[in-house]
Amino acid sequence: MQGDAVTDPDEVAQLRNIKPGEGFVVVPRVLLSDFSPRDVDREPVLIDFEEFDGMFENFEHTAFRLETRRRYRSDEQTETYRRFTADQAAGWDLEDPWCRSRREQVALGKRFERVRIMDNPPTPGQRYLLDNAARNCAVGEDIRYLWRADADRLGLPQEDAWLFDSRVVALLHFDPDDDLTGVELITDPVQVARACQVRDAAQHFATPHHAFTAEVPSDG
């Protein structure tokens, strides 16, 4: 990819501090993004869980999550998970604080979107979240699904993260036991732009949860 020479007299006249014999080219923005120097020693910006929780009320218009993991240990510590894995109704409470908060934010015109990656066959945790999707959608979230093989073909990342307002990424860190250990904020324009591309591709190719449920093989 090459830049185009600046030859228009009116454009040249706007340039300052030109020395005799110098020429100028228009450099495509992608070159500046892809090949500009990087601060390779950048320290990660970590926030505590209280600040992270606040982001779900303080964002302006759209919160999107790509859920990529096969298991979340925090789910397994809930009563709803115990009931679900015992072949009972999970018993989702649509009036708990989480659900009330989601409805309040949606009523303000904000959007919550998720694309969840599903293995084939699904893990127990993924089946639990598929059941959970009906609750989330009932309080205003848009949840869609992709088979992992399709996500891999699309080149979607393995990282689990939220994208707020197309301008900040909250990258979730997990330990080997699948416990959430930290949240890293990323505002680098190149990485945020990549996260927006990932979101657009995931949303486009994913299937809404109510239709995807019919594609999931029985656990029996």
Side-chain angles (χ1 to χ4, degrees), residues 91-212:
W92 304 108
D93 179 6
L94 295 180
E95 296 303 323
D96 68 14
W98 185 93
C99 289
R100 289 200 301 271
S101 176
R102 282 296 193 269
R103 285 198 298 269
E104 290 169 359
Q105 297 303 310
V106 170
L108 294 173
K110 300 180 184 181
R111 292 182 56 82
F112 293 90
E113 304 169 343
R114 300 179 195 247
V115 171
R116 288 172 168 165
I117 307 303
M118 180 80 81
D119 288 278
N120 192 4
T123 68
Q126 290 170 343
R127 288 185 178 279
Y128 170 77
L129 288 177
L130 185 62
D131 190 76
N132 155 274
R135 176 200 68 157
N136 287 28
C137 289
V139 297
E141 289 199 353
D142 176 359
I143 300 186
R144 306 181 190 189
Y145 278 84
L146 268 175
W147 293 111
R148 190 172 299 277
D150 295 326
D152 290 343
R153 280 194 289 270
L154 291 171
L156 300 187
Q158 298 295 318
E159 292 84 4
D160 201 300
W162 281 92
L163 172 65
F164 292 95
D165 295 332
S166 300
R167 64 182 181 84
V168 60
V169 176
L171 179 63
L172 307 184
H173 292 278
F174 295 84
D175 66 16
D177 293 324
D178 299 297
D179 278 313
L180 178 64
T181 59
V183 180
E184 177 184 353
L185 290 189
I186 299 173
T187 56
D188 174 73
V190 175
Q191 296 186 64
V192 171
R194 172 57 180 157
C196 292
Q197 293 170 350
V198 166
R199 175 202 56 205
D200 292 349
Q203 286 281 80
H204 179 78
F205 290 100
T207 302
H209 90 278
H210 59 273
F212 187 82

Side-chain angles (χ1 to χ4, degrees), residues 42-59:
R42 180 184 64 85
E43 289 291 330
V45 177
L46 301 176
I47 61 172
D48 59 33
F49 293 131
E50 183 177 354
E51 185 176 353
F52 178 52
D53 288 341
M55 295 181 71
F56 292 93
E57 295 183 356
N58 297 329
F59 75 100

